[in-house]
Amino acid sequence: MAAVVAYDPVYLRQPRFGAGLLVAIGASVLAIVVPWHRLPSPAAVLVPMADIVAVGLVVAGGYRASFLLVLPVLWMSAVHGAAGVVVSVAAATLAVWGGNLYAPSIALGDLPRLILLPVVLVAVGVGTYLSERRSAARLDLLGRQSALIEETLADSHQQSRLLDSILNTIDVGVVALDKDGYITILNRAHAAAVEGRLKVGDHVSVHGGIDGYAADRKTPLGAGGSPLVRASRGEDIDRELTWWDHGEGRWIAYRVSAAQLADGAGRRAGAVVVYQDLTAEMAALAQREDFVSSVSHELRTPLTSVLGYLELAADEPTATEGVRTHLRVAERNAERLLHLVADLLLAARTRERGVELDRSMTDLRNLVAESVQSQLPHARSAGLEVRHHLTEPCRLLGDRTRLGQVIDNVLSNAIKYTPRGGEVEVALWPGPDVARLTIRDTGIGIAAADQEKLFARFYRAPAVRQGSVPGTGLGLYLSRQIVEAHGGTMELTSVLGEGTSVEILLPTPGPGERETRP
């Protein structure tokens, strides 16, 4: 209006131009004053339609302002979609053509306005409509993605709270580490165990020295041996026993396990370390050991006396053969009981202070031959064949009694667990540095799951416990302890249903040492 007043005041005298200005002013007032949000949405069409009418009147009044029709077309196409495009473009086209519909002729200069402008308005309306649809689709997708993310976050928070509740409820200490060795999770049980000296965010180096001692209660773990430090270096730990010294004679036993964590790409992402308090179990085990040791010690003296009197009774000239047979049965069972007591005492002493050896130069070949000779009657009565390869002397420095106990244990097991018709083979190969003794049978074999446990104290495989062969589960445990005390190794391989092979390696002295030893 200011431009018209300043430059072309003649247009103000045109009735249609003035009417168009009044309509435009009225539409602006309506847009500001009327609370359109309270009215139905189609009511707002009045404003852009009034703008189209106003532009049509102004154009009909001779003022070239057709380009202003783009604004209401944009508005209605964006707000009312396809219907808005059709209505606004139709109304705008009528507004453009309105002044020429009653003219007897159309000037050549009016053709671009009459033809091209509707085409432009159609393009603007359709483009705006399609753009709004894409925008609406993107907004809808973003909304659904946002809702999914919020749902995932809520589930994650719920899982995190559940995990925290579980970790803080169990009485097992749990520590989680990131790939750089910093603590990310520390549950309540472990925080109490370390008495607040560790917290989330600490590096594992802070844990150095807290872990105390190895299973023997003598070897300090130090910073490098701490389970947390070892786990941060990528090491897995399988049920290792550690002791923590809390002062004033208070020791706490923990069984520690550690496993590495990996991300989706298989790269190392950290580790989890678990501490299980075994103090009560270890105390109960120690009490059991003390009880077994005390009872075994108390049984040994009367058993020795019983064996002595049985021997005297068997030698009595007036005893009949039937009585002597009964006495021999009683003597065998008493000797068996005495061997059991001796094994229990040895197992208790081994646990406390290791195997004590009385070393001397011994020919292992003779020991093996004596054991084979003593076991032959049992093998023959069981219908077994015993073959042996003992070609050369095999001198070594060892405890003759203990080594004989090892050979007897392994050989008697081979005979006991081999069915009738099978065979047992004993072979000894002396070497310059080591002697290899192998005892192989064609017996029932041992399941793979039981093989590692056979050398544990009092362990007997389930198939053996359900059978009729008696035993205590101490023979292999004591045998390995004795072999390792001599600096050797003892390994077992077995296939279920095919047989078992036990290999014992013992160090042999050099030529110079053989000459100096008696």
Side-chain angles (χ1 to χ4, degrees), residues 52 55 65-77 88 92 117 120-121 124-125 128:
I52 292 173
V55 173
S66 302
F67 63 90
L68 293 176
L69 292 170
V70 172
L71 297 176
V73 170
L74 282 172
W75 182 4
M76 291 187 65
S77 299
S88 63
L117 184 60
V120 170
L121 293 177
V124 169
T128 303

Side-chain angles (χ1 to χ4, degrees), residues 122-206:
V122 170
V124 169
V126 172
T128 303
Y129 167 66
L130 294 177
S131 177
E132 285 298 317
R133 285 196 63 180
R134 287 194 295 269
S135 297
R138 284 195 294 268
L139 288 174
D140 180 63
L141 178 60
L142 289 174
R144 284 186 279 120
Q145 289 177 339
S146 177
L148 181 61
I149 290 173
E150 290 178 359
E151 183 180 354
T152 303
L153 285 174
D155 290 342
S156 177
H157 291 155
Q158 177 64 24
Q159 293 296 326
S160 178
R161 288 191 294 270
L162 177 61
L163 177 61
D164 288 340
S165 299
I166 293 173
L167 291 178
N168 290 322
T169 301
I170 60 176
D171 57 357
V172 176
V174 179
V175 183
L177 313 174
D178 64 14
K179 62 183 179 62
D180 297 318
Y182 287 92
I183 297 174
T184 57
I185 295 176
L186 181 74
N187 75 334
R188 188 179 302 160
H190 196 74
V194 298
E195 299 174 346
R197 288 175 287 177
L198 277 180
K199 60 183 181 298
V200 173
D202 284 344
H203 193 265
V204 293
S205 57
V206 178

Side-chain angles (χ1 to χ4, degrees), residues 206-280:
V206 178
H207 206 265
I210 295 179
D211 287 321
Y213 297 84
D216 58 5
R217 289 206 213 183
K218 298 176 183 178
T219 306
L221 296 178
S226 161
L228 288 184
V229 174
R230 291 165 57 193
S232 70
R233 295 196 300 253
E235 182 178 345
D236 288 333
I237 302 173
D238 184 23
R239 302 162 61 89
E240 288 188 8
L241 180 64
T242 63
W243 288 89
W244 291 8
D245 184 6
H246 284 254
E248 300 179 356
R250 188 165 68 97
W251 289 82
I252 297 181
Y254 286 101
R255 183 168 61 194
V256 185
S257 298
Q260 299 300 309
L261 301 176
D263 60 15
R267 295 184 297 265
R268 181 178 171 276
V272 174
V273 187
V274 179
Y275 294 78
Q276 183 179 4
D277 189 344
L278 294 182
T279 308

Side-chain angles (χ1 to χ4, degrees), residues 418 440-446 451 493-501:
T418 299
R440 183 186 60 82
D441 64 64
T442 58
I444 61 176
I446 304 164
Q451 291 181 25
T493 57
S494 182
V495 177
L496 194 63
E498 296 184 12
T500 302
S501 177

Side-chain angles (χ1 to χ4, degrees), residues 366-380 386 404 407-409 411-412 415:
N366 293 341
L367 280 178
V368 175
E370 292 172 3
S371 181
V372 170
Q373 190 64 31
S374 64
Q375 297 287 344
L376 275 178
H378 301 291
R380 288 169 181 163
V386 177
I407 300 168
D408 286 340
N409 279 335
L411 187 55
S412 64
I415 294 173

